[in-house]
Amino acid sequence: MLLDTISIRVTTEFPSLQAVVICTSVSLIFGLAIAGIYMFRNKYSRSLAVTLVLLPAIVQIIIMLVNGNIGVGIAVAGAFSLVRFRSLPGTAREIGALFFAMAVGFVIGLGYIFYAFVFLLFVGGASLLLTRFSFGEDSGIRFLKIKIPENLDYEGLFDDVFAKYARSCKLETVKTTNMGSLFELTYAVHLNSTYMSKAFIDELRCRNGNLNITLSRNRDGEEL
């Protein structure tokens, strides 16, 4: 069988041109599938989508050309993967998609195209199902950053507002800012309803002198 021939050539001797062309073509096709899975009901950048298409082929050719030395292949592929993580902080989903693409490229590089296809079906199908049924949907937890003047006592300052709009609230961090003239408070807040966020912020503004208030889905103020 063709797949068996590719596997033998990849793992026991320098890969033939035919094996390289077939594996690279399959890697690009699988990369397109991975990019499509990632883009399903998800916000994405063009650069990440292109990366997901190309990454399996890049990893695959590295694994094939190191001629079966898996340790060297992993080290080189890992060095390539660091480019994304060192340039921009990625979300958990982005990192998962990148590792998914790398794993598929790694398996194809070893010549096991059929197993890469099975892996793509199972993991890709699981990802689509989890997305389709909104697994891990927003639980209502928000991270609230409030700036207040240094002369205000932040202990209990917003307790009545939190009791009105939130099921629970926990003060995470307190730090000084603006040369020590302001405090920045970070709370983890479980809101009763996300539709009440405007009224919630309006009441907080009345307490902190209309200074900056940030209500976000994570600690960095970025969307999950």
Side-chain angles (χ1 to χ4, degrees):
M1 294 179 61
L2 177 61
L3 299 185
D4 294 335
T5 303
I6 295 174
S7 179
I8 291 173
R9 290 179 180 176
V10 170
T11 56
T12 61
E13 60 184 39
F14 195 80
S16 66
L17 179 61
Q18 180 191 22
V20 171
V21 171
I22 292 174
C23 287
T24 303
S25 300
V26 172
S27 295
L28 291 173
I29 293 171
F30 285 11
L32 281 169
I34 293 170
I37 291 169
Y38 176 78
M39 292 186 291
F40 178 67
R41 294 188 178 182
N42 185 44
K43 294 181 179 180
Y44 58 90
S45 65
R46 180 176 179 271
S47 61
L48 180 60
V50 172
T51 299
L52 291 176
V53 174
L54 299 179
L55 189 57
I58 294 171
V59 175
Q60 162 254 314
I61 197 66
I62 292 171
I63 297 301
M64 293 184 73
L65 295 182
V66 296
N67 198 22
N69 191 328
I70 298 176
V72 174
I74 293 175
V76 176
F80 276 103
S81 71
L82 290 176
V83 174
R84 167 72 185 177
F85 305 127
R86 293 179 63 183
S87 59
L88 287 173
T91 64
R93 185 164 183 173
E94 288 178 351
I95 294 171
L98 288 168
F99 276 115
F100 181 25
M102 288 180 61
V104 169
F106 182 81
V107 177
I108 296 175
L110 293 177
Y112 302 121
I113 297 177
F114 176 74
Y115 292 109
F117 177 70
V118 172
F119 178 59
L120 176 65
L121 283 183
F122 275 90
V123 178
S127 177
L128 290 174
L129 286 174
L130 292 172
T131 303
R132 170 65 180 81
F133 293 103
S134 302
F135 180 80
E137 186 79 13
D138 183 10
S139 62
I141 296 292
R142 295 289 185 272
F143 288 92
L144 177 69
K145 292 185 178 181
I146 309 176
K147 290 185 178 180
I148 63 172
E150 63 174 343
N151 60 340
L152 286 182
D153 183 6
Y154 55 81
E155 294 291 347
L157 180 62
F158 306 106
D159 284 356
D160 57 331
V161 180
F162 292 145
K164 182 177 178 181
Y165 292 98
R167 300 177 189 177
S168 63
C169 177
K170 180 182 179 182
L171 180 61
E172 297 276 314
T173 60
V174 179
K175 70 176 183 179
T176 58
T177 184
N178 198 28
M179 302 295 291
S181 62
L182 300 174
F183 283 118
E184 182 178 273
L185 315 176
T186 302
Y187 295 88
V189 182
H190 189 175
L191 296 178
N192 293 325
S193 172
T194 56
Y195 299 107
M196 303 172 64
S197 57
K198 183 181 185 306
F200 178 50
I201 293 175
D202 285 342
E203 290 204 26
L204 293 174
R205 289 168 56 200
C206 296
R207 300 290 181 89
N208 78 330
N210 207 27
L211 294 173
N212 287 348
I213 296 177
T214 303
L215 185 64
S216 59
R217 294 176 184 267
N218 63 23
R219 288 180 176 84
D220 297 324
E222 300 173 352
E223 188 172 337
L224 290 176

